[in-house]
Structures are given as structure tokens and as C-alpha cells.
């Protein structure tokens, strides 16, 4: 995993000193929500044996990309797929998804999956370019606690 991909991105497991860079990356990519504390998402991921957080370093050793992976034995999930806005369109996203798929494959999981908002055409186009297909499903949820307040105007 540590050898640089074709794009030059070096993907490796997250380490504690990466936290500020990773949270800044997620904020810059619009992946954080006011009701989600990214630091606690990271801590939760690190506690699980069935999940991991991978980061991508550029040639200068700067953290410029991330992907969180998980699996339930049948399906492999990816979350927080993020490339620094100044470094997008350089093949880093492709390298991250390949690393997530390799993580799933290494655990015998046959299918990689992710959730994207239906209106997020740009990200859907990215995953389509990597061979992903849209599967029509209905996502059903139920809040077990008081839902967070919706974002302000
Ligand atoms: C989505 C994201 C990870 C893509 O990363 P990236 O480094 O720009 O993607 P890559 O350069 O590796 O692109 C891989 C392929 O996807 C295609 N692609 C990327 N963005 C695209 C777009 N907006 N429309 C169409 N195709 C796109 C590229 O053309 C490329 O195909 P090619 O290799 O055949 O040329 C990046 O834009 C990002 O971090 N966005 C913000 C965070 C986000 O929304 N994450 C997804 C959460 S589900």
C-alpha cells in the first residue's frame, strides 16, 4: 500500500499526527456536517477491526487525500473519499478508490459500494468513470435520537 500509485500518490494508514490535515481536507471538500464531529468519526473508525482510514501523501509528504473503508463480510464500503481541491483531476481519486477496493479484496469482500446524494452529478460521473454503476435502492432510516437541527440559511 505504501508504494506510490501511478498518480504519484502514496497511500498509507492514517496516523494520529495526520488528524489536523485530514479534518482540514474534509472541510475543504465539503464532507463535514455541523452535527458530525470529524475527530470522533476518526476515533470511531480506528477502534474498529472492520474499518480503516487511509490517507494519500503527495511527493512532498503532505496529506492531500483520504478514504475511509469498512466491510460487513459481503459489502465493502467507502466513505470520506476526498482529494484536496487544488489537487483534483490528477488521478488521486482513482488511486484512492483502487486502494479501497484492494482493502476490500484482501478481506474477501466481493463488492465495493458507496452512497452519493442523487443530485451530486459530478461525483456520480467520477465513480462512473471508475466502472461503478448506479443501483436503484430505497434508503430507509429512522432516527433513534432527536435529529440534529437542519443547517441554517
Ligand atoms: C470526487 C473526487 C474524489 C475525485 O477525485 P479526483 O482526484 O479529482 O479524480 P481523478 O483525477 O482520479 O479522476 C478519475 C476519473 O474520474 C473522472 N472524473 C473526475 N471528476 C469528474 C467529473 N466531475 N466529471 C466527470 N468525470 C470526472 C476523471 O476524468 C478521471 O477519468 P480518466 O482517468 O478516465 O480521465 C474529488 O473531486 C473530491 O474530493 N471531491 C470532493 C469530495 C467528494 O465529493 N467526495 C465524494 C464523496 S462520496
Amino acid at each position: 500500500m505504501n508504494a506510490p500509485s501511478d498518480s504519484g500518490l502514496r497511500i498509507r494508514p492514517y496516523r494520529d499526527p495526520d488528524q489536523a490535515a485530514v479534518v482540514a481536507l474534509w472541510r475543504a471538500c465539503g464532507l463535514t456536517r455541523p452535527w458530525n464531529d470529524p475527530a470522533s468519526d476518526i476515533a470511531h473508525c480506528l477502534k474498529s477491526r472492520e474499518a480503516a482510514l487511509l490517507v494519500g501523501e503527495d511527493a512532498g509528504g503532505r496529506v492531500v487525500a483520504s478514504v475511509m473503508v469498512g466491510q460487513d463480510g459481503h459489502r465493502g464500503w467507502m466513505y470520506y473519499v476526498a482529494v484536496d481541491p487544488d489537487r483534483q483531476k490528477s488521478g488521486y481519486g482513482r488511486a484512492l478508490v483502487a486502494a479501497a477496493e484492494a482493502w476490500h479484496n484482501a478481506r474477501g469482500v466481493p463488492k465495493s459500494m458507496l452512497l452519493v446524494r442523487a443530485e451530486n452529478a459530478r461525483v456520480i460521473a467520477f465513480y462512473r468513470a471508475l466502472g461503478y454503476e448506479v443501483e436503484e435502492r430505497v434508503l430507509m432510516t429512522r432516527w433513534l435520537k432527536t435529529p440534529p437541527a437542519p443547517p441554517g440559511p
Side-chain angles (χ1 to χ4, degrees), residues 29 31 81-83 88-94 122-123 125-126 129:
C29 285
L31 296 180
V81 176
V83 174
Q88 293 177 5
K89 299 278 171 83
S90 313
Y92 288 179
R94 182 184 285 279
R122 182 173 157 264
V123 170
F126 161 72

Side-chain angles (χ1 to χ4, degrees), residues 32-36 117 143 147-153:
T32 54
R33 294 291 175 267
W35 56 87
N36 269 4
R117 286 180 195 280
W143 286 101

